[in-house]
Amino acid sequence: MRFDIITVLPELLEGPFSHSILKRAQQKGLLEVHLHPLRDYALGKHKQVDDYAFGGGAGMVMRVEPIAACIEQLMAERTYDALIYTTPDGERLEQTTCNRLSLMENVLILCGHYKGVDERIREKYITHEISIGDYVLSGGELAAAILVDAVGRLIPGVLNDETSALTDSFQDDLLAPPVYTRPADWNGMKVPDILLSGHDKNIEDWRHEQSVARTKARRPDLWARYRGELP
Ligand code: 6GU
């Protein structure tokens, strides 16, 4: 799977994919992440990528021409399955969207900035508008990093049995159960006996109960969905 990311702050995205699971995914040839500095496509000697909003008001708007030039160049080289714009007014990112995106071949991400992008870019090119939650970030880069991380780890072959995504929180609309490792007794705080019992079926049942209890207590919204009461 290949991600092309258009950004005014490429430096911000150099770190997140250079470690651990996503680094290995790239080394294995399962994932490619290409950064495209928007300023390289800007016009004039000031390399301006933003401008004042028509109609007035505080905040700058990302101009159409550099973005269109960059997108057109990329689209001439390959076909994109999705053109994503990261923006707080987008649809909230959920695991189901990540699962769907992980089956795609080429995904382009435009990182939002300032007051946002000129609406005509959204109309002409963007297929998915994605927010990572109801709070405002200073730019869409960190949201794009989260998206690539959440999707990248789901690409077939990226995770092994130990890191399998099948038991993640949210994959079945339940939160994950508590986990423990050695020592079994830490200053009197003991690991639940059942986890030391070697009885796989009982352990599985216990984990499910814990997941249910946690989900009910912490995320009544997820619990309702699990019970089929919500979309
Ligand atoms: Cl995608 N961008 C910004 N700027 N803020 C956000 C966001 C995105 N998602 C949540 N907050």
Side-chain angles (χ1 to χ4, degrees), residues 85-88 112 130-140 143:
Y85 171 52
T86 55
T87 176
I130 290 180
S131 159
I132 60 165
D134 291 343
Y135 41 84
V136 178
L137 302 170
S138 58

Side-chain angles (χ1 to χ4, degrees), residues 159-194:
L159 297 183
N160 51 36
D161 278 354
E162 269 82 75
T163 53
S164 170
L166 291 176
T167 55
D168 286 343
S169 284
F170 304 113
Q171 268 315 355
D172 55 4
D173 287 329
L174 288 178
L175 300 180
V179 294
Y180 301 86
T181 186
R182 290 185 295 182
D185 183 336
W186 178 65
N187 298 334
M189 294 179 78
K190 296 199 174 69
V191 171
D193 285 335
I194 192 153

Side-chain angles (χ1 to χ4, degrees), residues 12-32:
L12 208 51
L13 290 169
E14 271 153 22
F17 317 122
S18 310
H19 307 277
S20 185
I21 289 172
L22 292 198
K23 179 184 182 182
R24 223 172 316 121
Q26 291 172 87
Q27 287 168 340
K28 285 202 235 168
L30 298 169
L31 170 69
E32 286 179 45

Side-chain angles (χ1 to χ4, degrees), residues 40-171:
D40 291 355
Y41 298 82
L43 311 160
K45 69 171 194 272
H46 297 298
K47 297 280 169 204
Q48 195 181 351
V49 294
D50 60 342
D51 212 331
Y52 296 100
F54 277 125
M60 306 294 273
V61 175
M62 293 172 79
R63 288 177 64 110
V64 287
E65 305 99 313
I67 297 171
C70 185
I71 291 179
E72 290 289 348
Q73 189 186 100
L74 289 168
M75 284 181 26
E77 291 162 17
R78 66 191 55 75
T79 304
Y80 288 96
D81 304 303
L83 278 87
I84 297 171
Y85 171 52
T86 55
T87 176
D89 63 359
E91 187 180 308
R92 191 162 53 197
L93 183 63
E94 303 226 10
Q95 192 64 41
T96 47
T97 313
C98 296
N99 292 347
R100 227 174 296 128
L101 291 171
S102 74
L103 301 174
M104 295 181 174
E105 213 49 60
N106 297 304
V107 171
L108 190 155
I109 304 175
L110 169 65
C111 299
H113 244 275
Y114 315 111
K115 273 290 160 200
V117 68
D118 188 299
E119 188 67 18
R120 291 166 290 187
I121 289 291
R122 300 169 78 151
E123 266 178 44
K124 187 168 166 68
Y125 298 111
I126 300 300
T127 61
H128 299 64
E129 302 187 328
I130 290 180
S131 159
I132 60 165
D134 291 343
Y135 41 84
V136 178
L137 302 170
S138 58
E141 280 74 15
L142 295 179
I146 282 167
L147 177 68
V148 172
D149 186 294
V151 173
R153 62 190 287 284
L154 298 174
I155 298 168
V158 170
L159 297 183
N160 51 36
D161 278 354
E162 269 82 75
T163 53
S164 170
L166 291 176
T167 55
D168 286 343
S169 284
F170 304 113
Q171 268 315 355

